[in-house]
Structures are given as structure tokens and as C-alpha cells.
Amino acid sequence: MMLIKFQIILFTLSKQVKIYKFFLKYKKTNMAWINLFIAGLFEVAWAIGLKYSHGFTKLYPSIFTITAYIFSIVFLSFAVKSLPIGTAYAVWTGIGAVGTVILGIMLLGESSDLPRIICILLILTGIVGLKLFTPNSE
């Protein structure tokens, strides 16, 4: 009787450990996506910073650009610990491209014609699709 209770306790604990490991993996994967999003934002920052640095001839915009680039790579490296490299890289560049175009329109007076907006929406669709269809991995 005591042996059966012990086996039931072990079985229950093993199930709890499996559930805990699943949630840890889920949390780790979500953190990877957050890191990837942050990396994408820093990519937008350094891309816009390139414009303001005028070919690295202005000191403070150049420092900002280089710093943003370093942070972008660091956060990307955190993300690829848990995400497939192809997915992470595609999403990182996609966020950078979309964000840079949007800020280019807002800050630099770049064109906002319909074909350009449609192309940006297609990139956004690709980013969302990669997020939705990327399996959780380590």
C-alpha cells in the first residue's frame, strides 16, 4: 500500500515537472520574441541615426548610431538562443525595414504613396506569419 502511494506521488511529481518545463520553455521563447522586438527597434534607431550622422561626420549622431547598432546586435544574439536563426534574422530585418520607412515618412518627409504602403503591409504580414508559424524551439 505504501509503495503504491509512493508511486502515485512520483507520477504526480513527474507530471508537474513536465508541465513546469513546458512553461519555462514557453516563457523563454516569449522572452526571445521580446528581445527580438527590442533588437528591431534598435535597428530602426541606428538606421535613422545613419541619416542624421551624415556619414559619421557628426559626433553625437554617430555615437548614437554606433551604440544603437551594438544594442541591436546584442538583443538579436539573445533572441537567437531560443529562436531559429532564419526566423530571427528575417523578423529583425523586417522590423527594421518597416520602422525605418515609417520614421522616414514621419521625420524625413519621404514618400507615403500607396504602392509603398502596400509593400510595407506585405512585410508586416511576413513578420506576423513568421511569429505565428515558428515552432517553439531551443
Side-chain angles (χ1 to χ4, degrees), residues 31-48 72 75-76 79 83 86-104 119-131:
M31 194 62 206
W33 284 102
I34 291 168
N35 284 330
L36 186 58
F37 181 73
I38 293 168
L41 293 179
F42 276 113
E43 185 185 6
V44 173
W46 71 257
I48 293 296
S72 182
F75 278 99
L76 178 62
L83 296 173
T87 299
Y89 185 74
V91 170
W92 177 63
T93 57
I95 291 170
V98 170
T100 303
V101 169
I102 290 170
L103 285 182
C119 291
I120 292 303
L121 291 174
L122 289 171
I123 294 171
L124 277 173
T125 303
I127 293 170
V128 171
L130 285 171
K131 167 65 174 112

Side-chain angles (χ1 to χ4, degrees), residues 106-125:
M106 292 171 54
L107 300 175
L108 305 171
E110 294 180 359
S111 170
S112 62
D113 59 351
L114 185 60
R116 197 164 190 226
I117 300 301
I118 290 170
C119 291
I120 292 303
L121 291 174
L122 289 171
I123 294 171
L124 277 173
T125 303

Side-chain angles (χ1 to χ4, degrees), residues 35-91:
N35 284 330
L36 186 58
F37 181 73
I38 293 168
L41 293 179
F42 276 113
E43 185 185 6
V44 173
W46 71 257
I48 293 296
L50 281 174
K51 185 71 172 178
Y52 286 105
S53 73
H54 295 280
F56 294 107
T57 58
K58 293 190 175 187
L59 180 63
Y60 293 117
S62 298
I63 291 170
F64 171 81
T65 301
I66 292 167
T67 304
Y69 180 75
I70 290 168
F71 276 108
S72 182
I73 295 297
V74 167
F75 278 99
L76 178 62
S77 72
F78 293 156
V80 299
K81 288 181 182 178
S82 301
L83 296 173
I85 187 66
T87 299
Y89 185 74
V91 170

Side-chain angles (χ1 to χ4, degrees), residues 18-36:
K18 287 179 184 175
I19 291 169
Y20 179 71
K21 284 182 180 178
F22 170 78
F23 282 115
L24 273 181
K25 185 176 181 180
Y26 182 74
K27 181 179 176 185
K28 189 175 186 178
T29 303
N30 276 345
M31 194 62 206
W33 284 102
I34 291 168
N35 284 330
L36 186 58

